[in-house]
Amino acid sequence: DGGITQSPKYLFRKEGQNVTLSCEQNLNHDAMYWYRQDPGQGLRLIYYSQIVNDFQKGDIAEGYSVSREKKESFPLTVTSAQKNPTAFYLCASSLGTGNEQFFGPGTRLTVL
Amino acid sequence: KQEVTQIPAALSVPEGENLVLNCSFTDSAIYNLQWFRQDPGKGLTSLLLIQSSQREQTSGRLNASLDKSSGRSTLYIAASQPGDSATYLCALWYYGQNFVFGPGTRLSVLP
């Protein structure tokens, strides 16, 4: 089955720790995205990548980092510099920028 | 900065009713518009994509229309069912930018 997988589903982090969220797709899509969703708010773009070895900051990139070494994978690291990291994180992909987006199941991160 | 609004924020209807969800935007220079549904604690599921040159798209009981001149898109759900209960979000893609999401409409279909 083609799709997007995210792991883990739930993640707990202590303050001061970095954590990495996994996102993998087997749709052969060039573009991949990371969004953050907070209760009562819309989705906000953290980072996006249009092609391997290239990525761009979104609206709320501070405290986050990404890499795109393989077409299939776009991991997101939440660093200790992110002031309020507790949120629901969603990964998405599309054939190219501006094409239909498909989403993974999400990772819920809680900082203890 | 483009703004996308969805009114109402929440809606409850009895099963079987036809309903319309609204998505309004301030900048009409869109590339495409996509409707999603999101179940609690889950990712987004793509429902329909309308290209800027199109006026509407249909899939089963769903019909989405796009009127760029008035800055509005509507999602029509026919013969609603309890399984349609979810949050519905619209997202707009602007040339040279990324998707801008609306805040969503939370729909409850009562049996």
Side-chain angles (χ1 to χ4, degrees):
Chain A
D1 286 338
I4 303 173
T5 58
Q6 290 186 244
S7 63
K9 186 174 181 179
Y10 299 98
L11 186 57
F12 299 90
R13 190 195 91 173
K14 293 182 180 179
E15 285 194 13
Q17 286 182 334
N18 293 351
V19 291
T20 297
L21 283 58
S22 170
C23 177
E24 304 276 334
Q25 55 97 1
N26 61 4
L27 300 169
N28 200 31
H29 285 171
D30 284 317
M32 297 187 74
Y33 313 82
W34 274 105
Y35 293 92
R36 170 180 172 141
Q37 187 176 37
D38 294 283
Q41 296 192 30
L43 274 69
R44 292 183 289 170
L45 182 65
I46 305 173
Y47 268 98
Y48 66 100
S49 168
Q50 296 176 310
I51 198 168
V52 174
N53 293 322
D54 183 66
F55 49 83
Q56 306 294 329
K57 293 182 179 180
D59 299 321
I60 55 165
E62 185 176 351
Y64 300 97
S65 66
V66 294
S67 63
R68 186 86 186 276
E69 297 177 1
K70 297 187 301 182
K71 187 175 186 177
E72 303 79 21
S73 178
F74 191 40
L76 173 74
T77 296
V78 184
T79 75
S80 57
Q82 169 49 233
K83 297 284 188 265
N84 185 21
T86 294
F88 190 49
Y89 291 87
L90 289 159
C91 177
S93 72
S94 63
L95 193 60
T97 51
N99 295 115
E100 185 176 8
Q101 280 200 342
F102 297 89
F103 280 76
T107 291
R108 185 165 300 281
L109 173 63
T110 302
V111 174
L112 305 173
Chain B
K1 184 174 170 73
Q2 293 85 2
E3 291 191 8
V4 182
T5 56
Q6 292 186 250
I7 296 174
L11 179 65
S12 289
V13 300
E15 181 178 3
E17 191 165 299
N18 301 328
L19 58 99
V20 173
L21 305 180
N22 296 297
C23 173
S24 298
F25 45 93
T26 54
D27 187 343
S28 62
I30 65 172
Y31 181 73
N32 64 39
L33 185 148
Q34 192 168 357
W35 279 95
F36 297 90
R37 72 171 278 168
Q38 184 178 29
D39 295 287
K42 306 291 186 184
L44 278 65
T45 300
S46 179
L47 297 174
L48 290 163
L49 175 75
I50 308 178
Q51 302 283 357
S52 63
S53 58
Q54 299 174 318
R55 295 299 299 269
E56 65 179 310
Q57 283 285 347
T58 298
S59 176
R61 294 183 294 109
L62 305 179
N63 175 275
S65 67
L66 174 62
D67 184 346
K68 292 193 295 180
S69 63
S70 65
R72 186 179 177 199
S73 175
T74 60
L75 179 66
Y76 174 83
I77 303 177
S80 58
Q81 304 170 357
D84 295 329
S85 297
T87 296
Y88 290 80
L89 299 97
C90 63
L92 282 69
W93 182 276
Y94 289 93
Y95 290 100
Q97 300 186 42
N98 283 296
F99 275 103
V100 179
F101 283 81
T105 294
R106 189 171 66 254
L107 172 67
S108 296
V109 181
L110 308 175

